[in-house]
CSV table of all heavy atoms in Angstrom, one decimal:
chain,number,residue,atom,x,y,z
A,235,THR,N,-27.5,-9.1,-6.0
A,235,THR,CA,-28.5,-8.1,-6.2
A,235,THR,C,-29.9,-8.7,-6.1
A,235,THR,O,-30.1,-9.9,-6.5
A,235,THR,CB,-28.4,-7.4,-7.6
A,235,THR,OG1,-29.3,-6.4,-7.6
A,235,THR,CG2,-28.6,-8.3,-8.7
A,267,HIS,N,-32.3,-2.0,-4.0
A,267,HIS,CA,-32.5,-0.6,-4.5
A,267,HIS,C,-34.0,-0.5,-4.6
A,267,HIS,O,-34.7,-1.3,-5.3
A,267,HIS,CB,-31.8,-0.3,-5.8
A,267,HIS,CG,-30.3,-0.3,-5.7
A,267,HIS,ND1,-29.6,0.9,-5.4
A,267,HIS,CD2,-29.5,-1.3,-5.8
A,267,HIS,CE1,-28.3,0.5,-5.3
A,267,HIS,NE2,-28.2,-0.8,-5.6
A,412,GLU,N,-17.7,2.4,-9.7
A,412,GLU,CA,-17.4,2.6,-11.0
A,412,GLU,C,-15.9,3.0,-11.3
A,412,GLU,O,-15.6,3.9,-12.1
A,412,GLU,CB,-18.2,3.8,-11.7
A,412,GLU,CG,-19.7,3.3,-11.9
A,412,GLU,CD,-20.5,3.4,-10.6
A,412,GLU,OE1,-20.4,4.3,-9.8
A,412,GLU,OE2,-21.2,2.5,-10.3
A,752,CYS,N,-19.5,0.8,-14.4
A,752,CYS,CA,-19.9,0.1,-13.2
A,752,CYS,C,-19.4,-1.3,-13.2
A,752,CYS,O,-19.0,-1.9,-14.3
A,752,CYS,CB,-21.5,0.1,-13.2
A,752,CYS,SG,-22.3,-1.2,-14.3
A,753,PRO,N,-19.3,-1.9,-12.1
A,753,PRO,CA,-18.7,-3.2,-12.0
A,753,PRO,C,-19.6,-4.3,-12.5
A,753,PRO,O,-19.1,-5.4,-12.6
A,753,PRO,CB,-18.5,-3.4,-10.5
A,753,PRO,CG,-19.5,-2.6,-9.8
A,753,PRO,CD,-19.8,-1.4,-10.8
A,754,SER,N,-20.8,-4.0,-12.8
A,754,SER,CA,-21.9,-5.0,-13.4
A,754,SER,C,-22.4,-5.8,-12.1
A,754,SER,O,-21.8,-6.0,-11.1
A,754,SER,CB,-21.5,-5.8,-14.5
A,754,SER,OG,-20.9,-7.1,-14.0
A,755,CYS,N,-23.7,-6.2,-12.4
A,755,CYS,CA,-24.3,-7.0,-11.3
A,755,CYS,C,-25.5,-7.8,-12.1
A,755,CYS,O,-25.5,-7.8,-13.3
A,755,CYS,CB,-24.9,-6.1,-10.2
A,755,CYS,SG,-26.3,-5.1,-10.7
A,756,GLY,N,-26.4,-8.4,-11.3
A,756,GLY,CA,-27.4,-9.1,-11.9
A,756,GLY,C,-28.4,-8.3,-12.7
A,756,GLY,O,-29.2,-8.8,-13.5
A,757,ARG,N,-28.3,-7.0,-12.7
A,757,ARG,CA,-29.2,-6.2,-13.5
A,757,ARG,C,-28.5,-5.8,-14.8
A,757,ARG,O,-29.2,-5.2,-15.7
A,757,ARG,CB,-29.3,-4.8,-12.8
A,757,ARG,CG,-30.2,-4.8,-11.6
A,757,ARG,CD,-30.4,-3.4,-11.1
A,757,ARG,NE,-30.8,-3.3,-9.7
A,757,ARG,CZ,-32.2,-3.2,-9.4
A,757,ARG,NH1,-33.0,-3.1,-10.4
A,757,ARG,NH2,-32.5,-3.2,-8.2
A,758,THR,N,-27.3,-6.1,-15.0
A,758,THR,CA,-26.5,-5.7,-16.2
A,758,THR,C,-27.1,-6.2,-17.5
A,758,THR,O,-27.4,-7.4,-17.6
A,758,THR,CB,-25.0,-6.1,-16.1
A,758,THR,OG1,-24.6,-5.8,-14.8
A,758,THR,CG2,-24.2,-5.4,-17.1
A,759,LEU,N,-27.3,-5.3,-18.5
A,759,LEU,CA,-27.9,-5.6,-19.7
A,759,LEU,C,-27.0,-6.0,-20.9
A,759,LEU,O,-27.4,-6.3,-22.0
A,759,LEU,CB,-28.9,-4.5,-20.1
A,759,LEU,CG,-30.2,-4.4,-19.1
A,759,LEU,CD1,-30.8,-3.0,-19.3
A,759,LEU,CD2,-31.1,-5.6,-19.3
A,762,LEU,N,-20.3,-6.0,-19.9
A,762,LEU,CA,-19.6,-4.7,-19.5
A,762,LEU,C,-18.2,-4.7,-19.8
A,762,LEU,O,-17.6,-3.7,-20.3
A,762,LEU,CB,-19.9,-4.4,-18.0
A,762,LEU,CG,-20.9,-3.3,-17.8
A,762,LEU,CD1,-21.5,-3.4,-16.4
A,762,LEU,CD2,-20.2,-2.0,-18.0
A,784,MET,N,-22.5,2.1,-18.2
A,784,MET,CA,-23.3,1.6,-17.1
A,784,MET,C,-24.2,0.6,-17.5
A,784,MET,O,-24.9,0.7,-18.5
A,784,MET,CB,-24.1,2.7,-16.5
A,784,MET,CG,-23.3,4.0,-16.1
A,784,MET,SD,-22.0,3.9,-15.0
A,784,MET,CE,-22.8,3.7,-13.5
A,785,GLY,N,-24.4,-0.5,-16.7
A,785,GLY,CA,-25.1,-1.7,-17.1
A,785,GLY,C,-26.7,-1.5,-17.2
A,785,GLY,O,-27.3,-2.4,-17.8
A,786,CYS,N,-27.2,-0.6,-16.4
A,786,CYS,CA,-28.6,-0.5,-16.4
A,786,CYS,C,-29.1,0.9,-16.1
A,786,CYS,O,-28.3,1.7,-15.6
A,786,CYS,CB,-29.3,-1.5,-15.3
A,786,CYS,SG,-29.0,-0.8,-13.7
A,787,ILE,N,-30.4,1.2,-16.5
A,787,ILE,CA,-30.9,2.5,-16.2
A,787,ILE,C,-31.5,2.6,-14.8
A,787,ILE,O,-31.8,3.7,-14.4
A,787,ILE,CB,-32.1,2.9,-17.2
A,787,ILE,CG1,-33.0,1.8,-17.4
A,787,ILE,CG2,-31.5,3.3,-18.5
A,787,ILE,CD1,-34.3,2.2,-18.1
A,788,VAL,N,-31.5,1.5,-14.0
A,788,VAL,CA,-32.0,1.7,-12.7
A,788,VAL,C,-31.1,2.6,-11.8
A,788,VAL,O,-31.5,3.5,-11.3
A,788,VAL,CB,-32.2,0.3,-12.0
A,788,VAL,CG1,-32.7,0.4,-10.7
A,788,VAL,CG2,-33.1,-0.6,-12.9
A,789,ASN,N,-29.8,2.2,-11.9
A,789,ASN,CA,-28.8,2.9,-11.0
A,789,ASN,C,-27.8,3.7,-11.9
A,789,ASN,O,-27.1,4.5,-11.4
A,789,ASN,CB,-28.1,2.0,-10.0
A,789,ASN,CG,-29.0,1.5,-9.1
A,789,ASN,OD1,-29.9,2.1,-8.5
A,789,ASN,ND2,-29.0,0.2,-8.9
A,790,GLY,N,-27.7,3.3,-13.1
A,790,GLY,CA,-26.6,3.8,-14.0
A,790,GLY,C,-26.6,5.3,-14.0
A,790,GLY,O,-25.6,5.9,-13.7
A,793,GLU,N,-25.5,7.0,-10.9
A,793,GLU,CA,-24.1,6.7,-10.4
A,793,GLU,C,-23.0,7.1,-11.3
A,793,GLU,O,-21.8,7.0,-11.1
A,793,GLU,CB,-24.1,5.2,-10.1
A,793,GLU,CG,-25.0,5.0,-8.9
A,793,GLU,CD,-25.0,3.5,-8.3
A,793,GLU,OE1,-24.1,2.7,-8.9
A,793,GLU,OE2,-25.9,3.2,-7.5
B,165,SF4,S1,-25.3,0.4,-12.7
B,165,SF4,FE1,-24.3,-1.5,-13.1
B,165,SF4,S2,-23.7,-2.3,-11.1
B,165,SF4,FE2,-25.2,-0.6,-10.8
B,165,SF4,S3,-27.1,-1.7,-10.6
B,165,SF4,FE3,-27.0,-1.1,-12.8
B,165,SF4,S4,-25.9,-2.9,-13.8
B,165,SF4,FE4,-25.7,-3.1,-11.5
Side-chain angles (χ1 to χ4, degrees):
T235 188
H267 293 269
E412 288 79 45
C752 81
S754 91
C755 71
R757 292 182 193 267
T758 311
L759 292 164
L762 256 157
M784 311 299 284
C786 76
I787 47 169
V788 181
N789 296 316
E793 294 181 9

